[in-house]
Amino acid sequence: MNVRDFAIGAVAGAVAGAAVVEAVNRADRNVSPDKVLEHVKSAFKKEGPIDGAWIVMKTEPFRQKAVEMDVYRGGLSREIGGAYEQYEFAADAKTGTVVEINKI
């Protein structure tokens, strides 16, 4: 085995390793909690102004019937027609899709 064959093997191994790491990172990536909060706020802003909003930056397990997923929990408050309203929500961490909204 000469140096050229070794170098070709080393480069090929490094490229394959980098490809595997990238594939794993893409499959395991969650949507940013900030993006989820912005999406929820923009949906609520269509009905009126928002006073405040929050989101927990760490995911938690969520189960609804037979479906299990990791979610971000958050909430927001607003005033509509002189009445103060508060909502809590859960959004899928992988897609950002809101899976639950409850008025408090």
Side-chain angles (χ1 to χ4, degrees):
M1 175 169 167
N2 61 24
V3 174
R4 180 179 171 268
D5 292 339
F6 177 77
I8 290 172
V11 169
V15 169
V20 169
V21 167
E22 180 63 26
V24 168
N25 286 341
R26 282 188 182 175
D28 206 25
R29 216 173 266 168
N30 287 338
V31 174
S32 161
D34 292 324
K35 287 185 181 182
V36 171
L37 184 59
E38 285 304 314
H39 171 72
V40 172
K41 285 170 54 177
S42 70
F44 271 83
K45 283 180 183 177
K46 292 176 184 174
E47 297 178 354
I50 295 173
D51 290 335
W54 59 272
I55 192 163
V56 177
M57 302 300 258
K58 185 177 177 187
T59 62
E60 67 178 60
F62 177 81
R63 181 180 177 129
Q64 190 169 34
K65 308 268 188 227
V67 178
E68 293 182 29
M69 66 188 78
D70 287 333
V71 297
Y72 293 116
R73 292 264 182 201
L76 56 88
S77 58
R78 65 183 182 175
E79 188 176 336
I80 299 288
Y84 191 70
E85 298 179 341
Q86 290 185 333
Y87 295 88
E88 288 183 339
F89 67 87
D92 183 0
K94 296 279 186 218
T95 64
T97 304
V98 176
V99 293
E100 180 180 68
I101 297 178
N102 295 313
K103 186 175 180 181
I104 303 173

